[in-house]
């Protein structure tokens, strides 16, 4: 079982409902491609290290998931890449311990 952590940065311009819908969509992609979400860590609105699309703040989420399918993370990234509310994302495989 491969374990991953997905960091998603969403635009600060989003309303609460839009943000929740975007997060649900990301989790839907994970389950669609054979993953299981084990945890979602909401860091809230934080200041960005540098301006992105003229924005100084954004909402940070860290989603932990597991998958037997080694291609799951690639598929999830491919779909998140084209989501409009997503400012930045990063998916990393966690080391086996």
């Amino acid at each position: 079982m491969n374990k991953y952590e997905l960091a998603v940065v969403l635009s600060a311009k989003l309303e609460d409902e839009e943000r929740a819908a975007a997060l649900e969509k990301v989790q839907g992609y994970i389950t669609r491609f054979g993953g299981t979400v084990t945890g979602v860590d909401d860091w809230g609105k934080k200041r960005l290290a540098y301006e992105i699309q003229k924005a100084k703040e954004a909402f940070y989420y860290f989603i932990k998931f597991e998958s037997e399918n080694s291609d799951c993370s690639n598929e999830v990234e491919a779909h998140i890449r084209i989501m409009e509310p997503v400012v930045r994302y990063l998916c990393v495989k966690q080391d086996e311990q």
Side-chain angles (χ1 to χ4, degrees):
M1 181 75 67
N2 298 319
K3 294 184 179 188
Y4 300 92
E5 184 173 43
L6 173 65
V8 180
V9 181
L10 298 178
S11 172
K13 297 176 185 173
L14 298 175
E15 298 295 328
D16 290 344
E17 300 85 30
E18 295 170 315
R19 214 170 47 246
L23 200 58
E24 284 295 319
K25 196 172 186 180
V26 170
Q27 291 177 9
Y29 287 140
I30 292 169
T31 54
R32 183 196 305 176
F33 297 112
T36 306
V37 176
T38 57
V40 178
D41 196 6
D42 179 357
W43 280 24
K45 191 184 231 183
K46 299 282 183 192
R47 185 166 179 79
L48 295 169
Y50 54 91
E51 256 186 49
I52 302 173
Q53 300 169 355
K54 297 185 180 178
K56 296 182 190 298
E57 292 182 322
F59 290 96
Y60 285 72
Y61 294 94
F62 292 89
I63 303 169
K64 293 185 185 228
F65 66 98
E66 299 176 339
S67 177
E68 290 285 342
N69 181 2
S70 60
D71 203 36
C72 178
S73 64
N74 294 334
E75 291 290 340
V76 170
E77 280 187 353
H79 285 79
I80 291 175
R81 180 178 294 123
I82 59 175
M83 286 179 62
E84 197 170 309
V86 176
V87 178
R88 291 284 188 271
Y89 66 91
L90 178 67
C91 187
V92 294
K93 184 177 178 183
Q94 295 181 325
D95 291 335
E96 300 291 326
Q97 294 174 355

